[in-house]
Amino acid sequence: MFKIKKLVRCTLAFATVFAAHNAFASSTPTIETNNRERANNLGIVASAPIGAPNNNYESVFANLALHCIHQEFPNVVKHMMNNGGDVKAPSQLYPAFYGCLDWHSSVHGHWLLVRMLNTAQAAVDKDEIIEKLNISFATENIQGEMKSLKRENNASFERPYGLAWFLQLTAELRQSSVPEAKIWLSTLLPLEKEIVSRVSAWLPKLAYPIRTGEHSQTAFAFGLMLDWAKTSGNKEFEAQLTARIRGYYQDDTQCPLAYEPSGQDFLSPCLAEADLMRRVMPKKDYSQWLSAFFPNLNVSTSNWLTPATVTDKTDGKLAHLDGLNISRAWMIEGIMSALPDSDVRLPVLQKTLKAHREAGLNAVFDDMHYMGSHWLGSFASYLETKRGIN
């Protein structure tokens, strides 16, 4: 179990870092957890059991996003360059979503902040979050995003991962009670409309699902998109996506979970598919489907799936495995939510969930390099707030 001591040390470390400087150096140094003696003097020694709330994690997650939301460098820009005019600074190309290393991480960093406003206003700096979001969601910034998105030869930009996170962002805004959320959503709607149109045009052309453990995976993205469709009330998109999901995955059996993970996965192809299918199937049918999909998952299973280990947190690709542990945890929890209380597989799934949750959250509450800190807070927030379930 992760210790509240670690959490407090991390919170104090972030406060120290923010006071010392407002941006990471371009060499992306490690975030050091200092002030350990001061944290020890607080005398907080209890462990937080799995599933138990704590009083600090929300501010830790929010601070991760606040720290990088408008930090331009280092930066990874991925798009087609048609001419010299497409070679610009990230903030000129993507004036709303240029921070946190890359476009999709910036998008889900913004989602994280809205999620914290929706679920933990008293535990975070509400005023600072609103100030930052007001800057990002200025009308001229979203107009700039639209201009970049609609450039020639850019149809596949951030498809499907970044686009799915954008829809998750606008879904979160729809569910927000913060007065500013209505204004932000109104500003983002043209971009949302363009993204939905692109995905709708792409789905009939996608002959096969994409079964990787990284950004191009379709199962995870479809789950976020389907949740958006239900939240927004877009029945047409929901029906189209549901039909494609069933066509891609419903006949799948014996998923090769033993082949996972690949060396730089942050998503499980098998678990993401299982977490997706519970969204489109009745519980009885889903339970039977899961038996065929994971035939080795039963009451006698031991060590069904073990957490992954990161060997170098400064390597952005290798650091993906910290995120894999977190996403596995929320996907397992999603699977469990769709099974009857009497299902004999639940103890095995609970044990696996606990191991992955501990491993994943320890990575967030412990020392982190920028290669992890710019995005892992979003994954941790998704898990801890049960976003895929609630």
Side-chain angles (χ1 to χ4, degrees), residues 243-321:
R244 296 304 286 165
I245 289 169
R246 288 174 174 159
Y248 291 137
Y249 301 114
Q250 191 157 305
D251 293 334
D252 285 357
T253 60
Q254 302 184 61
C255 197
L257 195 58
Y259 291 174
E260 298 185 23
S262 294
Q264 55 191 36
D265 284 356
F266 62 90
L267 300 168
S268 163
C270 288
L271 290 178
E273 181 176 340
D275 189 37
L276 172 66
M277 292 305 291
R278 54 104 178 166
R279 290 171 161 95
V280 299
M281 301 180 76
K283 282 193 173 184
K284 181 179 179 181
D285 294 344
Y286 177 72
S287 180
Q288 294 175 350
W289 178 89
L290 191 68
S291 295
F293 192 65
F294 288 141
N296 294 325
L297 174 59
N298 53 62
V299 68
S300 63
T301 305
S302 61
N303 296 323
W304 181 61
L305 191 63
T306 57
T309 301
V310 173
T311 57
D312 184 356
K313 292 181 181 292
T314 71
D315 186 310
K317 288 291 190 177
L318 297 180
H320 275 177
L321 292 169

Side-chain angles (χ1 to χ4, degrees), residues 68 87 133 135 155 162 304 332 338 354 366 381:
C68 71
V87 183
L133 295 179
I135 293 170
W304 181 61
I332 292 168
K354 178 180 178 181
D366 208 342
S381 298

Side-chain angles (χ1 to χ4, degrees), residues 75-80 94 97-108 145 148-149 151 153-167 195 198-199 202 210 214-217 220-221 224-225 266:
N75 205 298
V76 178
V77 177
K78 295 181 180 179
H79 64 225
M80 176 73 72
Y94 305 109
F97 304 119
Y98 62 84
C100 298
L101 193 70
D102 47 40
W103 194 88
H104 52 259
S105 297
S106 179
V107 168
H108 62 61
E145 291 282 343
S148 286
L149 182 64
R151 287 181 300 108
N153 298 318
N154 204 36
S156 63
F157 177 74
E158 289 288 348
R159 188 184 72 196
Y161 182 78
L163 304 186
W165 271 115
F166 182 90
L167 295 181
I195 286 171
R198 287 186 173 211
V199 176
W202 173 59
I210 303 170
E214 293 190 278
H215 307 87
S216 58
Q217 186 196 112
F220 168 69
L224 294 190
M225 291 175 179
F266 62 90

Side-chain angles (χ1 to χ4, degrees), residues 10 106 117 120 231:
C10 188
S106 179
L117 288 180
T231 300

Side-chain angles (χ1 to χ4, degrees), residues 203-204 206-207 209 222 226 229-230 234-251 276-277 279-281:
L203 286 173
L206 185 65
F222 289 166
L226 194 60
K230 293 174 180 177
N234 192 323
K235 298 296 185 182
E236 181 179 358
F237 185 78
E238 180 183 353
Q240 181 192 29
L241 186 55
T242 299
R244 296 304 286 165
I245 289 169
R246 288 174 174 159
Y248 291 137
Y249 301 114
Q250 191 157 305
D251 293 334
L276 172 66
M277 292 305 291
R279 290 171 161 95
V280 299
M281 301 180 76

